Amino acid sequence: MTSTFHSIETARRSLATNTTSLSTVSHNIANANTAGYSRQVVHTSATNPLEAVAFRNSTNSGQLGTGVEATSIKRVRSMFLDTQYRGENSSLGSWTVRSDTLGKLEKVINEPSDTGMQTVMNKFWSAWSNLSKDPQSTTNQKVLKETTLALTDAMNQTSQQLDALSTDLTSSVSLDVSTVNSLLSTVGTLNQNIMKIEAQGNDANDLRDQRDYAIDQISKYGNVTVTELNTGYQVNFGGQQVITGGTVTPLTAAGVQTAFEGGTLNSGEMYGLMYSRDVHVAGQKAQLDQLANTLANGEFNVTLPAGSVIPEGTVLNGVTYSDAAGNRTLTSDLTTTVKGINGLHKLGYNSSSQQGGDFFGTSDNSGTITAGNITLNKSLQDDPSKIAFSLRTSGTGSGEKVVAGNGGLALIMSELKGTKMDFGGVTPTTVQDYFNGIVGQLGVSSQEASRQTDNSQTLTDQVEANRQSVSGVSLDEEMSDLIKFQHAYTASSRFMTTMDQLLERLINSTGRVGL
């Protein structure tokens, strides 16, 4: 037989369930703008009917329902979209850093401009040209000295800026490692808390949102994969297992570098930082070092005009030129290979009739000339009159004197702007073309990185929009649910009031007939 208070209990359950639904709607609305929050819904089911199937049963037709109950509160989330988002977010992190670094490199190279290295280099060639016209002018010699120092200073400064940029990128990797380790610690703690709560049969929706949001943030720094186990998330970062349940293995800068070199770290901001440092910045520095070294010591062919006097003991094309052999004065043009401006400078004579020495040297006294240490030879800095400019002398022995007004060597120097040199591993080309190639390659790489960044941003935004369409809070939808549950609550309240009135009539009026 149905309980007297059966209908009141049914109404009570309805009120409780709709109250839970209304509270959940309120929670959704309150967190509509909370980063990482997933919309939550109440799952309901009809409670067991009044009489279960048994050997003894009432003769009443059908089973009388007992109402509704809230079985669970679940968040709406798509793991597929989460995985897709993290992949795109990682790619975006990588391209953003690379684009930013290439933009900084463009500012360092500063070409084309009126103050860039190309302008200083042109002034260097022009200074040689002016010296060839009046080779014994101390003013022209000093101008050449200053323009050469301006050129080497420009190379030194550019190299220093590249070194500073490389150091900054390395420091940024260390900072990112600290940031990721903090996030990993958060995920490990959340794994433990979620496991404790859900072991009691509850759904840790808000903690799960916090954990997924932390993973989303980690994905910015590198390629991350997530596997859900009974103990929580197992997380791999750049091929390294960093979280299993509550156990966290912190990243190290050395470990991240090893992962990058091994190819397991292949996207994300950390990857972009190390790729920018080891490829973009290091590549630019290597090319500038090659430019400086080739300018000083790179091989190229030069034609010495007839009448030129080769310095005593010089070996060209396997022939030794000396007074003893009587072959120092060329009777015809001679095409030979020399080693850079240093080698060519040694074939000439200065105003004191002395053979020229190295034109370029190093500021740190090291053997290899680079963009970072190239400078004008110290002796030429101290005394510009020692700069060789002539290819001709008169007289022999102690009476050998440079031919006044001859600027043959300075003229050849000025023409090196269009001379093809051996830059090592590439087709011989001119200094200007080689430098233009550096600038052009940098421009193309920067443009490509910018394009890839835009594409990655678009893809990331699209995936996030899809994710929000599933998990995000729609205020319009929540307002609709609010009205629906409100009406259901009101109807349940009305039903309980009705049953209360019926029972009041039954209890207070039964047996009072005729009174």
Side-chain angles (χ1 to χ4, degrees), residues 23 27 73 100-101 109 179 185 197 200 214 216 229 292 320-321 353 377 380 405 422 454 462 509:
S23 297
H27 186 54
I73 302 175
D100 180 66
T101 301
I109 300 300
T179 301
S185 178
I197 292 173
Q200 300 173 358
D216 289 346
L229 306 176
T320 300
Y321 292 84
S353 303
N377 191 305
L380 302 183
D422 183 5
D454 291 341
Q462 286 178 348
S509 300

mmCIF file of all heavy atoms in Angstrom, residues 23 27 73 100-101 109 179 185 197 200 214 216 229 292 320-321 353 377 380 405 422 454 462 509:
data_model
loop_
_atom_site.group_PDB
_atom_site.id
_atom_site.type_symbol
_atom_site.label_atom_id
_atom_site.label_comp_id
_atom_site.label_asym_id
_atom_site.label_seq_id
_atom_site.Cartn_x
_atom_site.Cartn_y
_atom_site.Cartn_z
ATOM 1 N N SER A 23 21.791 25.349 -8.321
ATOM 2 C CA SER A 23 23.096 25.686 -7.748
ATOM 3 C C SER A 23 24.209 25.469 -8.771
ATOM 4 O O SER A 23 25.166 26.248 -8.845
ATOM 5 C CB SER A 23 23.357 24.841 -6.504
ATOM 6 O OG SER A 23 22.410 25.126 -5.489
ATOM 7 N N HIS A 27 26.804 28.122 -10.356
ATOM 8 C CA HIS A 27 28.252 27.905 -10.382
ATOM 9 C C HIS A 27 28.804 28.156 -11.786
ATOM 10 O O HIS A 27 29.878 28.763 -11.950
ATOM 11 C CB HIS A 27 28.544 26.472 -9.929
ATOM 12 C CG HIS A 27 29.999 26.166 -9.770
ATOM 13 N ND1 HIS A 27 30.852 26.919 -8.996
ATOM 14 C CD2 HIS A 27 30.765 25.162 -10.305
ATOM 15 C CE1 HIS A 27 32.082 26.408 -9.047
ATOM 16 N NE2 HIS A 27 32.043 25.335 -9.831
ATOM 17 N N ILE A 73 27.314 15.107 -10.793
ATOM 18 C CA ILE A 73 27.558 16.407 -11.445
ATOM 19 C C ILE A 73 28.839 16.240 -12.257
ATOM 20 O O ILE A 73 29.916 16.019 -11.703
ATOM 21 C CB ILE A 73 27.724 17.541 -10.417
ATOM 22 C CG1 ILE A 73 26.476 17.646 -9.543
ATOM 23 C CG2 ILE A 73 27.988 18.869 -11.121
ATOM 24 C CD1 ILE A 73 26.605 18.667 -8.419
ATOM 25 N N ASP A 100 60.072 36.200 -33.060
ATOM 26 C CA ASP A 100 60.580 37.289 -32.237
ATOM 27 C C ASP A 100 62.103 37.391 -32.329
ATOM 28 O O ASP A 100 62.663 38.498 -32.452
ATOM 29 C CB ASP A 100 60.154 37.065 -30.785
ATOM 30 C CG ASP A 100 60.657 38.158 -29.856
ATOM 31 O OD1 ASP A 100 60.225 39.312 -30.002
ATOM 32 O OD2 ASP A 100 61.499 37.868 -28.977
ATOM 33 N N THR A 101 62.792 36.253 -32.305
ATOM 34 C CA THR A 101 64.253 36.255 -32.381
ATOM 35 C C THR A 101 64.734 36.766 -33.733
ATOM 36 O O THR A 101 65.680 37.558 -33.809
ATOM 37 C CB THR A 101 64.799 34.835 -32.146
ATOM 38 O OG1 THR A 101 64.371 34.370 -30.868
ATOM 39 C CG2 THR A 101 66.320 34.831 -32.195
ATOM 40 N N ILE A 109 71.289 43.360 -37.419
ATOM 41 C CA ILE A 109 71.951 43.517 -38.725
ATOM 42 C C ILE A 109 71.666 44.894 -39.308
ATOM 43 O O ILE A 109 72.526 45.512 -39.948
ATOM 44 C CB ILE A 109 71.496 42.402 -39.692
ATOM 45 C CG1 ILE A 109 71.866 41.021 -39.114
ATOM 46 C CG2 ILE A 109 72.126 42.578 -41.065
ATOM 47 C CD1 ILE A 109 73.345 40.812 -38.876
ATOM 48 N N THR A 179 59.568 27.695 -14.631
ATOM 49 C CA THR A 179 58.118 27.867 -14.762
ATOM 50 C C THR A 179 57.421 26.527 -14.948
ATOM 51 O O THR A 179 56.403 26.237 -14.309
ATOM 52 C CB THR A 179 57.798 28.793 -15.943
ATOM 53 O OG1 THR A 179 58.419 30.064 -15.739
ATOM 54 C CG2 THR A 179 56.296 28.986 -16.091
ATOM 55 N N SER A 185 54.695 20.602 -10.551
ATOM 56 C CA SER A 185 54.420 20.385 -9.132
ATOM 57 C C SER A 185 52.939 20.560 -8.830
ATOM 58 O O SER A 185 52.352 19.790 -8.060
ATOM 59 C CB SER A 185 55.256 21.359 -8.294
ATOM 60 O OG SER A 185 54.987 21.210 -6.923
ATOM 61 N N ILE A 197 39.616 12.584 -3.426
ATOM 62 C CA ILE A 197 38.199 12.977 -3.500
ATOM 63 C C ILE A 197 37.377 11.936 -4.245
ATOM 64 O O ILE A 197 36.293 11.533 -3.801
ATOM 65 C CB ILE A 197 38.066 14.356 -4.165
ATOM 66 C CG1 ILE A 197 38.654 15.445 -3.253
ATOM 67 C CG2 ILE A 197 36.608 14.672 -4.486
ATOM 68 C CD1 ILE A 197 38.720 16.812 -3.905
ATOM 69 N N GLN A 200 36.218 8.628 -2.771
ATOM 70 C CA GLN A 200 35.016 8.675 -1.937
ATOM 71 C C GLN A 200 33.733 8.682 -2.764
ATOM 72 O O GLN A 200 32.644 8.821 -2.224
ATOM 73 C CB GLN A 200 35.052 9.910 -1.050
ATOM 74 C CG GLN A 200 36.260 9.951 -0.121
ATOM 75 C CD GLN A 200 36.383 11.258 0.629
ATOM 76 O OE1 GLN A 200 35.571 12.163 0.435
ATOM 77 N NE2 GLN A 200 37.388 11.369 1.478
ATOM 78 N N ALA A 214 46.523 23.661 -16.113
ATOM 79 C CA ALA A 214 47.976 23.634 -15.897
ATOM 80 C C ALA A 214 48.678 22.911 -17.054
ATOM 81 O O ALA A 214 49.734 23.345 -17.525
ATOM 82 C CB ALA A 214 48.304 22.960 -14.563
ATOM 83 N N ASP A 216 47.535 22.710 -20.098
ATOM 84 C CA ASP A 216 47.455 23.642 -21.229
ATOM 85 C C ASP A 216 48.609 24.639 -21.190
ATOM 86 O O ASP A 216 49.224 24.950 -22.215
ATOM 87 C CB ASP A 216 46.123 24.405 -21.207
ATOM 88 C CG ASP A 216 44.937 23.530 -21.570
ATOM 89 O OD1 ASP A 216 45.160 22.416 -22.083
ATOM 90 O OD2 ASP A 216 43.794 23.947 -21.321
ATOM 91 N N LEU A 229 45.760 7.634 -15.810
ATOM 92 C CA LEU A 229 45.846 6.363 -15.091
ATOM 93 C C LEU A 229 44.956 6.409 -13.861
ATOM 94 O O LEU A 229 44.354 7.452 -13.562
ATOM 95 C CB LEU A 229 47.299 6.096 -14.680
ATOM 96 C CG LEU A 229 48.358 6.143 -15.796
ATOM 97 C CD1 LEU A 229 49.744 5.945 -15.203
ATOM 98 C CD2 LEU A 229 48.069 5.098 -16.857
ATOM 99 N N ALA A 292 84.314 38.157 -41.986
ATOM 100 C CA ALA A 292 85.482 38.852 -41.444
ATOM 101 C C ALA A 292 86.765 38.112 -41.783
ATOM 102 O O ALA A 292 87.764 38.726 -42.213
ATOM 103 C CB ALA A 292 85.340 39.001 -39.932
ATOM 104 N N THR A 320 109.773 31.928 -56.675
ATOM 105 C CA THR A 320 110.312 32.826 -55.657
ATOM 106 C C THR A 320 110.909 34.045 -56.348
ATOM 107 O O THR A 320 111.756 33.911 -57.248
ATOM 108 C CB THR A 320 111.397 32.120 -54.826
ATOM 109 O OG1 THR A 320 110.837 30.975 -54.193
ATOM 110 C CG2 THR A 320 111.960 33.063 -53.767
ATOM 111 N N TYR A 321 110.476 35.220 -55.913
ATOM 112 C CA TYR A 321 110.947 36.471 -56.521
ATOM 113 C C TYR A 321 112.015 37.079 -55.615
ATOM 114 O O TYR A 321 111.794 37.279 -54.411
ATOM 115 C CB TYR A 321 109.781 37.443 -56.706
ATOM 116 C CG TYR A 321 108.790 36.960 -57.757
ATOM 117 C CD1 TYR A 321 107.783 36.064 -57.431
ATOM 118 C CD2 TYR A 321 108.900 37.376 -59.076
ATOM 119 C CE1 TYR A 321 106.899 35.603 -58.390
ATOM 120 C CE2 TYR A 321 108.017 36.927 -60.041
ATOM 121 C CZ TYR A 321 107.012 36.037 -59.701
ATOM 122 O OH TYR A 321 106.152 35.586 -60.661
ATOM 123 N N SER A 353 108.847 53.045 -47.860
ATOM 124 C CA SER A 353 109.425 52.040 -48.763
ATOM 125 C C SER A 353 109.537 50.672 -48.108
ATOM 126 O O SER A 353 110.311 49.823 -48.555
ATOM 127 C CB SER A 353 110.810 52.496 -49.280
ATOM 128 O OG SER A 353 110.718 53.745 -49.917
ATOM 129 N N ASN A 377 95.354 46.257 -37.880
ATOM 130 C CA ASN A 377 96.634 45.907 -37.265
ATOM 131 C C ASN A 377 97.104 47.026 -36.350
ATOM 132 O O ASN A 377 97.069 48.199 -36.695
ATOM 133 C CB ASN A 377 97.677 45.638 -38.354
ATOM 134 C CG ASN A 377 98.941 45.017 -37.813
ATOM 135 O OD1 ASN A 377 99.576 45.552 -36.910
ATOM 136 N ND2 ASN A 377 99.314 43.884 -38.390
ATOM 137 N N LEU A 380 99.421 49.691 -37.617
ATOM 138 C CA LEU A 380 98.803 50.646 -38.554
ATOM 139 C C LEU A 380 97.911 51.628 -37.815
ATOM 140 O O LEU A 380 97.756 52.776 -38.244
ATOM 141 C CB LEU A 380 98.001 49.894 -39.615
ATOM 142 C CG LEU A 380 98.783 48.873 -40.456
ATOM 143 C CD1 LEU A 380 97.881 48.254 -41.511
ATOM 144 C CD2 LEU A 380 100.001 49.514 -41.102
ATOM 145 N N GLY A 405 103.865 58.757 -55.768
ATOM 146 C CA GLY A 405 102.614 58.930 -56.508
ATOM 147 C C GLY A 405 102.004 57.660 -57.033
ATOM 148 O O GLY A 405 100.894 57.692 -57.589
ATOM 149 N N ASP A 422 86.844 33.358 -51.936
ATOM 150 C CA ASP A 422 86.469 32.027 -51.473
ATOM 151 C C ASP A 422 85.978 32.120 -50.029
ATOM 152 O O ASP A 422 86.774 32.333 -49.113
ATOM 153 C CB ASP A 422 87.665 31.085 -51.570
ATOM 154 C CG ASP A 422 87.321 29.659 -51.165
ATOM 155 O OD1 ASP A 422 86.128 29.396 -50.904
ATOM 156 O OD2 ASP A 422 88.243 28.824 -51.094
ATOM 157 N N ASP A 454 51.453 33.371 -37.596
ATOM 158 C CA ASP A 454 50.058 33.743 -37.870
ATOM 159 C C ASP A 454 49.200 32.499 -38.101
ATOM 160 O O ASP A 454 48.069 32.409 -37.602
ATOM 161 C CB ASP A 454 49.987 34.665 -39.095
ATOM 162 C CG ASP A 454 50.578 36.036 -38.816
ATOM 163 O OD1 ASP A 454 50.711 36.411 -37.639
ATOM 164 O OD2 ASP A 454 50.926 36.740 -39.793
ATOM 165 N N GLN A 462 41.184 28.468 -33.547
ATOM 166 C CA GLN A 462 40.080 27.648 -34.051
ATOM 167 C C GLN A 462 39.803 26.469 -33.121
ATOM 168 O O GLN A 462 38.649 26.171 -32.798
ATOM 169 C CB GLN A 462 40.415 27.138 -35.451
ATOM 170 C CG GLN A 462 40.311 28.203 -36.541
ATOM 171 C CD GLN A 462 40.692 27.665 -37.912
ATOM 172 O OE1 GLN A 462 41.242 26.566 -38.026
ATOM 173 N NE2 GLN A 462 40.426 28.436 -38.947
ATOM 174 N N SER A 509 -10.277 16.563 9.333
ATOM 175 C CA SER A 509 -11.719 16.518 9.033
ATOM 176 C C SER A 509 -12.318 15.121 9.107
ATOM 177 O O SER A 509 -13.522 14.961 9.120
ATOM 178 C CB SER A 509 -11.983 17.105 7.629
ATOM 179 O OG SER A 509 -11.542 18.447 7.566
#
